Amino acid sequence: MWSARLTGRPISQRCAELYLCSSQDALPQPYVAQILTRYPPVAVTRRLARAPITEALIDVRAVPLAGLSEDVFKTIPSILKSDYPLVEERRASEAQLALEPGKPLRASSRDLGLQGVWLRSQDEKEVVQFRTDGFTYSRLAPYTSWEDILPRSLRLWKTFVEVLRPEIVTRLAVRYINHLPLPDGPVELDDFIFTAPKVPQGVIGEMGPFSTRVLLAHPERKLQAIVTQSIEPGVRSKRPTLLLDIDAFKTGNVGISAESIAPHLEALREYKNMIFFGSLTESFARSFE
Amino acid sequence: MNSFALPLPDFPSFWAAGDRSVTRSALRTAVPVFETEAQSSSVSIDDVRRELRRALAVAASEASTADWDGYGAKAVSASAISHAAELLDSLPTTVPPPDISIHPDGEVGFFWTRGKRLSVAVSISPTGLVSFASLHGHRRLHGSEYLVNGLPSSLALVLRQLHSDEE
């Protein structure tokens, strides 16, 4: 099982040792046990019954049709009012504050016109953004399933295409924002995640809250992901929270129709899952079953 | 797109809580904290933060001159706005957004409420002193702490009391 899990993964020191254990039957069991204790196993990709997802979104960036009138946005709410009855027009604005120590604050603002419409379901768990620069479908907690949100977002994308007639799609994204509760008190982060920053070699002490933002790239499939991690003080409980925000995206021309973007979204979801489960230890993932 | 443009060299601390370096490299590393547009636009984090910045900017612009309320109020200062922005950036993403206002003494106010008997009022001074008062049922708590390195621990505690699902 270990070698299967490690195939195709970068060989870090941890992986190298585990690979050694899995590929050489002659290694004594106590040594194997020692290595496995030191390096907890990576979580296996599967469906989590209590997934810690606070928002799942599908995002499509598009170049709008030249000369698009603001009036087209007014037709959208009536088309979708049965599922998304709550409507909010968004105007773009720019506020400029000149902050200079010892001098009075200088403030100015200007209206940049209609940005788009935000539609919400009656329970406000679904939010759809129809913007001049694209479309975003968000599912807020409680998360349902990919099988639920993908068809919904593709149906809404078809409406976007029919009404706003974009010229080209420039970016597709699948972003999942997770809030994972950690135990209260000092913890060994390596028991929970594989991606925590490390205290520098030779430095004695504990690590406090952190925030990291990493850009990953999958060269063969031409996928990328912005992975943001941070430890936040607990709000709903005393337990601190690990924010794990994975924004998997693909740039370039991927077609415009729902049929042409769907396979790319599936690939992005798969990539997102690889990053999510590859970040967690199996025992931590188990706490969300 | 709502944007909230500020002259970067004047107040680097606006972008990165706890980072008061003014070197060129520090300024470059501070910038991405503000560039959330590069990511897919989420409702629960990016949209909330954008709206909070917009609300702070609007409140600041309305109170940027003395006597803005017609009753002799002080103008809000640049440093009070800067500290308020720093406090906003330090809030955990699970905290509901506060209402933002400017007080007649020129300080910036944040206010959270949950039901009739649960509320937290925060005032941020030009020196970065964060004063708070909370009402939790019949319990009243108040205190103050300087904004030094992220969310003050005492404020984190009262926010948890306000929003906790635990008894």
Side-chain angles (χ1 to χ4, degrees):
Chain A
M1 183 179 117
W2 288 108
S3 58
R5 287 285 302 157
L6 295 169
T7 301
R9 294 170 63 93
I11 304 294
S12 64
Q13 183 189 358
R14 170 191 303 129
C15 294
E17 287 197 58
L18 289 173
Y19 184 79
L20 194 68
C21 292
S22 63
S23 60
Q24 297 191 13
D25 295 334
L27 277 173
Q29 274 304 309
Y31 180 67
V32 174
Q34 187 188 343
I35 296 295
L36 293 181
T37 306
R38 197 165 139 206
Y39 302 121
V42 177
V44 177
T45 302
R46 80 275 207 177
R47 186 174 184 144
L48 296 172
R50 296 185 303 116
I53 300 161
T54 46
E55 181 176 349
L57 65 90
I58 289 175
D59 182 75
V60 187
R61 298 266 173 86
V63 175
L65 188 68
L68 187 73
S69 161
E70 284 188 357
D71 291 340
V72 296
F73 288 103
K74 297 189 189 307
T75 64
I76 293 168
S78 59
I79 298 170
L80 300 170
K81 67 180 175 189
S82 58
D83 290 329
Y84 303 97
L86 308 177
V87 181
E88 182 189 354
E89 276 194 4
R90 285 291 182 101
R91 299 195 73 78
S93 60
E94 183 181 85
Q96 188 130 14
L97 297 178
L99 306 178
E100 293 174 70
K103 291 186 180 176
L105 185 70
R106 283 181 288 115
S108 62
S109 63
R110 65 187 177 116
D111 184 19
L112 299 176
L114 189 70
Q115 185 188 19
V117 286
W118 268 232
L119 307 176
R120 294 172 196 266
S121 58
Q122 192 66 52
D123 64 2
E124 300 197 45
K125 300 297 183 193
E126 292 175 74
V127 184
V128 193
Q129 304 173 30
F130 285 84
R131 301 182 308 268
T132 49
D133 68 343
F135 154 92
T136 306
Y137 170 83
S138 293
R139 169 70 211 190
L140 302 173
Y143 179 62
T144 53
S145 66
W146 176 254
E147 292 72 24
D148 175 52
I149 70 168
L150 179 64
R152 280 177 192 271
S153 53
L154 290 176
R155 276 198 301 273
L156 291 161
W157 172 247
K158 281 181 182 173
T159 304
F160 183 96
V161 173
E162 285 166 13
V163 177
L164 288 115
R165 292 181 290 147
E167 292 190 342
I168 189 170
V169 168
T170 55
R171 183 183 187 272
L172 278 180
V174 170
R175 180 177 177 189
Y176 276 60
I177 299 169
N178 304 273
H179 285 88
L180 304 98
L182 294 167
D184 190 20
V187 294
E188 183 64 57
L189 274 176
D190 289 346
D191 292 339
F192 299 89
I193 54 172
F194 293 108
T195 46
K198 304 290 179 199
V199 175
Q201 291 289 333
V203 173
I204 299 168
E206 295 176 346
M207 188 170 62
F210 66 84
S211 182
T212 63
R213 182 175 149 123
V214 177
L215 178 68
L216 301 176
H218 192 308
E220 291 154 21
R221 300 174 76 175
K222 306 272 190 283
L223 306 176
Q224 295 179 79
I226 300 168
V227 183
T228 308
Q229 287 187 133
S230 64
I231 298 281
E232 300 185 335
V235 174
R236 307 276 176 206
S237 78
K238 285 182 187 170
R239 302 165 66 187
T241 302
L242 170 71
L243 167 69
L244 179 54
D245 177 353
I246 304 167
D247 185 8
F249 63 96
K250 184 180 183 72
T251 54
N253 190 357
V254 291
I256 290 179
S257 70
E259 293 72 24
S260 63
I261 67 170
H264 296 293
L265 292 172
E266 292 280 5
L268 287 166
R269 184 242 183 171
E270 194 181 319
Y271 188 42
K272 181 274 300 177
N273 275 346
M274 281 173 64
I275 296 167
F276 177 80
F277 287 100
S279 301
L280 305 189
T281 62
E282 174 58 25
S283 61
F284 194 30
R286 223 173 271 155
S287 68
F288 301 106
E289 286 186 324
Chain B
M1 177 184 79
N2 286 323
S3 61
F4 180 27
L6 289 164
L8 181 61
D10 294 338
F11 267 82
S13 61
F14 196 102
W15 279 266
D19 180 4
R20 292 176 189 280
S21 165
V22 290
T23 63
R24 293 306 302 171
S25 60
L27 294 175
R28 277 198 298 275
T29 56
V31 170
V33 179
F34 224 58
E35 289 179 346
T36 52
E37 285 303 319
Q39 282 192 285
S40 312
S41 180
S42 80
V43 173
S44 60
I45 296 180
D46 305 324
D47 199 39
V48 168
R49 291 201 166 154
R50 206 160 32 234
E51 284 302 300
L52 285 174
R53 287 179 198 129
R54 190 190 60 78
L56 181 62
V58 169
S61 64
E62 287 173 356
S64 59
T65 54
D67 195 30
W68 51 268
D69 64 349
Y71 294 95
K74 280 186 182 174
V76 67
S77 70
S79 56
I81 293 294
S82 172
H83 287 301
E86 187 179 332
L87 183 59
L88 282 182
D89 281 350
S90 73
L91 291 174
T93 52
T94 46
V95 170
D99 291 328
I100 297 175
S101 61
I102 308 297
H103 295 166
D105 61 2
E107 298 196 349
V108 181
F110 294 168
F111 186 71
W112 287 268
T113 185
R114 185 179 174 190
K116 288 182 180 172
R117 304 283 299 169
L118 293 169
S119 60
V120 175
V122 173
S123 186
I124 304 113
S125 81
T127 59
L129 183 66
V130 178
S131 306
F132 64 86
S134 77
L135 177 66
H136 190 89
H138 294 290
R139 274 184 295 162
R140 291 161 198 271
L141 285 172
H142 61 89
S144 55
E145 200 172 333
Y146 277 98
L147 190 60
V148 176
N149 189 19
L151 184 68
S153 55
S154 53
L155 180 56
L157 181 68
V158 295
L159 288 175
R160 187 184 307 137
Q161 287 178 341
L162 179 69
H163 299 295
S164 174
D165 295 327
E166 295 175 347
E167 289 302 315

